[in-house]
Amino acid sequence: MEGNCVNENDLKKQDPLVVVGCAKGYTKEELLSNLPRHCKFSPSLIKQVKLIPEAIFRNSGTPIAKKINRMMHEMSTEAYRAIQFTRTEINNRGVLFGVVMLKHRVVDRVLIYFHERWPQCIICLYNEQTRETWIIDEKGAIRQYHQPLKKVVENVSKNRQIVPYFEDIQFSGEQIFETLYKSQFIAERENKQYFKKMIPDQCFKLPGMKNGVERHFRNKKLNDFL
Amino acid sequence: MPSILEKIRVLGENSKYDICASTASSRTDKYPKLFGNSKNWVGAAASAGICHSYTPDGRCMSLFKTLYTNKCIYNCKYCFSHTCKHKMSFTPEEYARTFMKLYSMNVVEGVFISSGVCGSADETTEEMLEAIRLLRFKYHFQGYVHFKCLPGVSQYLLREAITLSDRISVNSEASSKDFLSEIAEQKDFNNDIILRQRWLKQIRVKHNLEALKVIKDYKEDNQLKYQEMMIKDRREDGYKKFRWDGAPILNSGQTTQFVVGAAEGETDFDLLKQIDWGYRNIDLRRGYFSSFIPIEGTPLAGQQAASLSREHRLYQSDWLLRIYHFKLKDLKDILTDDGNLPKGDPKIYLAKQYFEGCGPLDPNNASYKDLIRVPGIGPISAKRIINLQSKKFEFKRREDLKAVGVVLKRAAPYLLINGKNQRTLENFTQPLQEENSWREIA
């Protein structure tokens, strides 16, 4: 961190957090490597970031710092929300697939999350926003296809063997989850405001939303994409 | 024969008052894999936990939380299973398959397995363990498992449960023998609960020491160092300084749960005293409080529900004990005559009492212990201030404090900033405003 190499005489002029080395926000390296993921990224923005000192971004005081930090926040939030709310299915050959709706280029982060959980499976995610299917294989290699999800899933499943313990869980789980979800409700504790706070706005706007929020996070069936 | 859906509906509803807030478990690669190094494993436990859905009351619902069976030999007066006419049980295979299906849908993060006591505690625990064994070794699930220890279970079963789970909890339900016998007369507080909690601690420490011996490249010196660390790594008051993270087994520790307001006459201080004992003696990771809600058909149906704000205040006080290192006797000083916590944030009451004598605090020369007592300053911002003090940085502006994470709205009345103490009219009113946001149950 910058704070370690700061002259003591200049301490008073500096942002205290940078001095201590526990400042909020992102390092310049993080900004430079992650900003291109944002959908509204432009090369001129990177030029600006290179010129401005890190402490200014960390303080979020200037309009440009606010803008950059907001962009970083939007990306990380979108990736995290996708990790939380993407609903997936697995077939008997160990191919896990689901649908995401990502504006920013963060699909690799979501793929890696699923890859860590299902390391021996191939993960296929269809991005509704860009109409592309992304896959990550057992070795962690990421590829992109301009094909519908069903086709990609069929293709990657072709040469894979049936796995007995995945074969075991080939039944519909939607109703099971709905029943479990309903069973946990405690009327005396209902707090709609808090509930709305926890569910991000963009998730309320997902396609096919009707009656209740949970319904909308569930993964679509393959037929829906044909 | 009830269907799976029926079982989930009934057994899920029967377990809804059980609390299991966290799904966090940080295992480290330093130690051998818990369940072998199979290439087929699935699942992972994230150190921060992930919430995949929220119930309409705003709670995160990320665990497959159902009872294993609602058949129970106990007659606890507050319990749901009293009224439930549909008695049913999962089979281990059903339980494991259903969970794996939900896990593959990315709707749950792990398992919370609890149960009524059907036949004997050992018989039921055997079946629950069989379900977890299937998950671990048939379906190769390496994710988060929270196992509920049944009252009176044998030690050999606890030992196995520990090796299969990330977290184990023994529900205390009440703060003492007398209060427990009032609400669950068949349960023996000392034998069924306290003894099991002590066993959990003993088994874990012994197992982890033995596990370290067999870890490759582990030198004897380190073994001794670990033992020393176990003894030294305690605060003056006996609390563990460091968390369980990275331990070979049971890295999310043991927890407990209290039913608040079910036993008549049980005060907040009784509950805090018991939880303080747990932190010092059984290395409790944390305690949960569940407000009592009367259920129709139970012997306590006519009793008044405990308020959610009471539960909230208990959590705030628990946080002060566990994270802020306040002493129990400090909290004792702010209790009302009936032994309960006053309405409002306990930290504000403590600060008013503490700073009444010594006046506002100058952050430029205050100690960590004093800083932590100021509302709006938490352990992280207090450490940052101390760090800056050592680098001879002077806090002269409100912005300086803001930048280190101090919530000035709360902290300003107790601080001297550039020699001045800033107060507003609001600071002279009672610290009860936030109380309005918590609904009281009629």
Side-chain angles (χ1 to χ4, degrees), chain A residues 155-200:
Chain A
N155 284 343
V156 294
S157 302
K158 256 182 211 168
N159 300 323
R160 291 174 66 88
Q161 287 185 334
I162 291 177
V163 184
Y165 52 90
F166 291 147
E167 178 80 11
D168 251 15
I169 52 172
Q170 294 305 311
F171 52 91
S172 168
E174 288 197 8
Q175 240 186 323
I176 293 178
F177 179 62
E178 209 159 311
T179 313
L180 177 72
Y181 182 78
K182 280 181 189 163
S183 76
Q184 297 301 309
F185 174 57
I186 302 174
E188 290 85 349
R189 283 179 179 266
E190 186 166 15
N191 188 342
K192 281 183 182 165
Q193 270 184 324
Y194 189 58
F195 175 56
K196 279 183 182 167
K197 191 179 152 193
M198 300 308 286
I199 305 291

Side-chain angles (χ1 to χ4, degrees), chain B residues 2 48 74 76 109 343 419:
Chain B
Y74 288 105
C76 306
E109 186 67 6
K343 286 186 178 178

Side-chain angles (χ1 to χ4, degrees), chain B residues 327-394:
Chain B
K327 299 231 161 61
L328 186 66
K329 67 175 183 194
D330 294 336
L331 288 168
K332 200 177 175 182
D333 294 340
I334 60 161
L335 295 176
T336 56
D337 294 340
D338 57 1
N340 288 323
L341 289 160
K343 286 186 178 178
D345 186 348
K347 197 177 174 188
I348 295 183
Y349 280 96
L350 284 166
K352 287 201 165 188
Q353 206 176 53
Y354 188 74
F355 293 107
E356 211 174 45
C358 60
L361 197 70
D362 185 354
N364 290 313
N365 49 31
S367 67
Y368 175 84
K369 273 191 177 174
D370 285 339
L371 283 169
I372 204 79
R373 286 184 168 270
V374 177
I377 298 185
I380 293 174
S381 40
K383 276 177 198 163
R384 284 173 178 168
I385 292 172
I386 296 294
N387 255 331
L388 282 174
Q389 282 176 4
S390 68
K391 295 191 179 197
K392 294 177 186 167
F393 183 90
E394 273 186 56

Side-chain angles (χ1 to χ4, degrees), chain B residues 298-315:
Chain B
T298 60
L300 297 182
Q303 195 169 312
Q304 202 182 2
S307 68
L308 291 180
S309 59
R310 186 179 172 194
E311 182 188 291
H312 180 57
R313 284 195 299 275
L314 280 165
Y315 276 121

Side-chain angles (χ1 to χ4, degrees), chain A:
Chain A
M1 289 275 181
E2 266 184 26
N4 298 332
C5 51
V6 167
N7 185 336
E8 266 196 26
N9 297 330
D10 298 333
L11 280 178
K12 287 174 191 172
K13 294 174 193 168
Q14 296 251 348
D15 171 11
L17 284 171
V18 175
V19 177
V20 186
C22 51
K24 300 184 280 187
Y26 308 91
T27 63
K28 226 169 188 182
E29 289 75 39
E30 282 173 330
L31 291 177
L32 291 173
S33 63
N34 285 310
L35 275 177
R37 290 171 178 275
H38 197 277
C39 62
K40 286 180 183 165
F41 157 78
S42 68
S44 63
L45 205 64
I46 288 287
K47 277 182 197 166
Q48 274 180 294
V49 171
K50 279 180 184 168
L51 289 173
I52 299 169
E54 193 177 299
I56 289 181
F57 289 118
R58 290 197 185 272
N59 277 335
S60 293
T62 58
I64 179 75
K66 276 182 187 161
K67 183 184 172 185
I68 298 289
N69 286 334
R70 196 194 65 234
M71 285 169 80
M72 291 291 284
H73 180 71
E74 279 170 0
M75 278 180 307
S76 55
T77 309
E78 190 180 60
Y80 188 68
R81 293 305 191 191
I83 284 168
Q84 283 185 292
F85 297 117
T86 300
R87 301 313 189 213
T88 53
E89 283 179 39
I90 194 165
N91 69 15
N92 55 3
R93 292 173 195 269
V95 179
L96 187 90
F97 52 92
V99 179
V100 288
M101 205 172 146
L102 301 169
K103 283 194 296 190
H104 309 297
R105 298 172 196 95
V106 289
V107 72
D108 56 326
R109 287 192 189 175
V110 186
L111 282 170
I112 288 168
Y113 160 82
F114 283 110
H115 174 65
E116 281 169 0
R117 265 134 213 273
W118 303 87
Q120 83 282 31
C121 295
I122 290 184
I123 321 290
C124 304
L125 290 181
Y126 178 78
N127 190 352
E128 274 198 324
Q129 195 81 26
T130 56
R131 299 184 184 277
E132 290 163 350
T133 305
W134 290 76
I135 72 165
I136 185 167
D137 64 17
E138 301 95 320
K139 288 171 189 165
I142 297 174
R143 272 169 290 167
Q144 174 192 12
Y145 293 90
H146 294 277
Q147 285 173 339
L149 182 64
K150 188 185 178 187
K151 206 171 179 185
V152 176
V153 172
E154 274 174 3
N155 284 343
V156 294
S157 302
K158 256 182 211 168
N159 300 323
R160 291 174 66 88
Q161 287 185 334
I162 291 177
V163 184
Y165 52 90
F166 291 147
E167 178 80 11
D168 251 15
I169 52 172
Q170 294 305 311
F171 52 91
S172 168
E174 288 197 8
Q175 240 186 323
I176 293 178
F177 179 62
E178 209 159 311
T179 313
L180 177 72
Y181 182 78
K182 280 181 189 163
S183 76
Q184 297 301 309
F185 174 57
I186 302 174
E188 290 85 349
R189 283 179 179 266
E190 186 166 15
N191 188 342
K192 281 183 182 165
Q193 270 184 324
Y194 189 58
F195 175 56
K196 279 183 182 167
K197 191 179 152 193
M198 300 308 286
I199 305 291
D201 285 348
Q202 64 262 39
C203 290
F204 280 102
K205 289 172 197 160
L206 285 176
M209 281 188 72
K210 281 176 196 169
N211 312 323
V213 173
E214 266 314 297
R215 194 175 286 275
H216 313 300
F217 299 132
R218 200 147 303 120
N219 185 31
K220 285 190 171 187
K221 284 181 184 152
L222 275 179
N223 292 339
D224 299 339
F225 299 98
L226 292 175

